[in-house]
Amino acid sequence: MDISDASRTTTQTVTDYDRAKEVQAFDDTKAGVKGLVDAGIVNIPRIFIRPPEELVEELTSHQTNSQVPVIDLDGVRGNKLEEIVDQVRAAAETWGFFQVVNHGIPLNVLEEIIEGIRKFNEQDVELKKEFYTRDRARNVRFNSNFDLHYSRTANWRDTLTISALASTDLDPNEYPEVCRDAVREYIKNVTKLGETLFELLSLALGLKAEHLQEIGCPKEYTLPCHYYPSCPQPDLTLGATGHSDPSFLTILLQDQIGGLQVFHDNQWVGVQPIVGGLVVNIGDFLEVVSNDKFKSVNHRVVAGHVGPRVSVACFFMGHNAEIPKSYGPIKELTSEENPPIYRDFLPSECFSKRFSMAVDDNSLLHQLKL
Ligand code: OGA
Ligand code: NI
């Protein structure tokens, strides 16, 4: 099917089919997108097909040679600190994204969690189903498309989410057994890197190094671990619809397949995988507390014939569920000439809002504007 055929199909769909029913039937399988691929489908179900106007717009999008900045963290505890802080500031103000290398997390830790998440998704479907839920009170949950029931178009991906709250460290026995050790080891490392990055971001804002840490930015975190199966018709759907992240900061580990794109200078720019590298992006909450100095930028994942692609995001969410704390533009960053442009918010309020909106509903920041 080419794109114009798809446009006709989707135009019909608006009137001809009961989307909610098909979405529910897909959800009821508890087997996710991988279940469809395993069943050998050649045409993707229409709940995944993007609206015709989006498909047409895609045809006019340009290729670009720009690249998300790569920052070498070697020497961050020594004579390179100032240079690194300058690079972090420039990236956070313009791209909202950068990649880091020499960040201190051993390559085997990265490889093992990617492998662990792949194994989780590829194990017997009955074992996976035990984790299938949309109940956000569960700290470990597996499902396909957190916004399945209210998005316009479903994404070609399944996700295992692991949440950790401030006061109670999650009991690792709750993690799925196939990836338990790998997840535990990765969390230990990625949270430490998170602290370093919050120090660099504090300095980049002209604050003392401990500032963002002291207000609790790295306190609670959630790991959405994604599995993007190969897609028979990748031009008709997306792995993840464009969105910004409901976090202070996100550290993303991607495998070597590629597909992540960042919206920069009015076009989608691919984030090239780097062996051993990690992608870092500013989330909505940091945009607010920095009073718009740092940018929370839209990004998405394209679907591909080649797969599965595995990625592991780590959203740092501040004091969220356990000890709610409100955040607003940091006093030191505002003045008479630069008044606060956002109101105070509770991360938990934003987080629950975010989870009752489609992934591409980017009104969260607007709702917080004064
Ligand atoms: C996310 C995200 C990108 C990816 O989890 O918010 O943007 O490459 N993931 O999986
Ligand atoms: Ni994201």
Side-chain angles (χ1 to χ4, degrees):
M1 191 195 304
D2 69 16
I3 288 181
S4 54
D5 285 341
S7 306
R8 274 196 294 279
T9 316
T10 43
T11 314
Q12 286 167 2
T13 60
V14 178
T15 49
D16 290 359
Y17 89 103
D18 185 345
R19 181 179 171 84
K21 200 168 145 207
E22 291 192 15
V23 159
Q24 189 61 52
F26 168 68
D27 209 15
D28 288 344
T29 67
K30 299 188 177 180
V33 173
K34 173 142 196 323
L36 300 172
V37 174
D38 289 346
I41 54 133
V42 229
N43 294 315
I44 67 174
R46 48 197 164 178
I47 60 170
F48 294 92
I49 300 179
R50 301 170 67 194
E53 63 277 13
E54 278 186 27
L55 296 174
V56 167
E57 197 182 307
E58 211 63 62
L59 296 173
T60 59
S61 70
H62 305 284
Q63 290 296 321
T64 161
N65 292 326
S66 329
Q67 264 302 311
V68 165
V70 178
I71 302 180
D72 186 345
L73 293 186
D74 193 23
V76 72
R77 302 271 165 221
N79 60 352
K80 288 281 170 56
L81 178 63
E82 210 172 314
E83 196 181 311
I84 293 172
V85 168
D86 287 343
Q87 290 174 353
V88 167
R89 183 186 308 107
E93 287 178 356
T94 54
W95 284 84
F97 265 80
F98 52 96
Q99 299 208 62
V100 288
V101 295
N102 293 320
H103 43 64
I105 305 186
L107 187 58
N108 71 302
V109 172
L110 306 182
E111 286 171 348
E112 280 162 26
I113 188 167
I114 294 276
E115 189 58 13
I117 298 307
R118 195 184 58 70
K119 280 195 191 138
F120 171 81
N121 284 277
E122 293 176 3
Q123 70 188 327
D124 182 34
V125 68
E126 295 306 319
L127 291 170
K128 262 183 353 185
K129 282 182 184 174
E130 288 170 24
F131 292 92
Y132 200 94
T133 178
R134 298 194 174 277
D135 177 2
R136 285 194 301 111
R138 296 258 305 265
N139 285 331
V140 178
R141 48 194 191 272
F142 169 64
N143 61 44
S144 183
N145 287 258
F146 76 81
D147 59 351
L148 184 67
H149 294 282
Y150 31 85
S151 65
R152 262 214 307 182
T153 314
N155 289 156
W156 201 255
R157 72 169 174 187
D158 301 328
T159 304
L160 171 71
T161 302
I162 295 167
S163 304
L165 306 175
S167 62
T168 48
D169 265 342
L170 178 60
D171 176 2
N173 288 323
E174 283 189 54
Y175 304 161
E177 203 181 336
V178 277
C179 54
R180 187 173 297 155
D181 293 345
V183 167
R184 190 170 25 190
E185 200 54 27
Y186 183 70
I187 287 182
K188 211 168 71 193
N189 280 274
V190 80
T191 48
K192 204 163 128 223
L193 176 61
E195 288 172 9
T196 304
L197 290 168
F198 279 117
E199 281 179 39
L200 295 173
L201 290 159
S202 300
L203 294 170
L205 286 168
L207 304 165
K208 63 172 181 169
E210 302 76 26
H211 194 109
L212 292 173
Q213 186 145 347
E214 280 174 5
I215 64 170
C217 292
K219 221 47 195 175
E220 294 177 26
Y221 48 90
T222 285
L223 263 72
C225 309
H226 305 295
Y227 183 89
Y228 300 85
S230 65
C231 180
Q233 295 174 302
D235 295 339
L236 301 184
T237 188
L238 282 171
T241 305
H243 66 281
S244 60
D245 290 349
S247 64
F248 281 96
L249 190 74
T250 303
I251 299 179
L252 180 91
L253 165 64
Q254 59 169 339
D255 67 12
Q256 296 303 301
I257 290 186
L260 173 64
Q261 298 179 334
V262 177
F263 201 66
H264 180 76
D265 274 350
N266 265 326
Q267 46 196 345
W268 291 107
V269 180
V271 182
Q272 299 305 332
I274 301 176
V275 176
L278 289 163
V279 181
V280 179
N281 66 285
I282 307 297
D284 292 348
F285 304 167
L286 197 50
E287 175 157 338
V288 172
V289 300
S290 74
N291 207 34
D292 250 1
K293 195 164 157 61
F294 290 170
K295 302 290 178 221
S296 173
V297 169
N298 258 23
H299 51 284
R300 69 178 190 179
V301 180
V302 293
H305 281 294
V306 180
R309 170 180 185 269
V310 173
S311 69
V312 177
C314 179
F315 286 15
F316 290 97
M317 298 177 311
H319 283 283
N320 183 24
E322 297 282 292
I323 321 159
K325 173 177 159 61
S326 74
Y327 292 93
I330 293 170
K331 299 277 173 301
E332 290 87 332
L333 303 180
T334 60
S335 62
E336 222 163 290
E337 301 80 60
N338 183 24
I341 57 170
Y342 293 104
R343 67 167 173 84
D344 288 3
F345 68 95
L346 284 170
S348 54
E349 157 206 3
C350 294
F351 220 64
S352 34
K353 249 191 213 138
R354 193 71 184 76
F355 280 104
S356 54
M357 301 185 324
V359 73
D360 57 344
D361 185 342
N362 287 328
S363 57
L364 193 62
L365 279 174
H366 294 287
Q367 287 176 23
L368 295 177
K369 280 237 158 93
L370 281 170

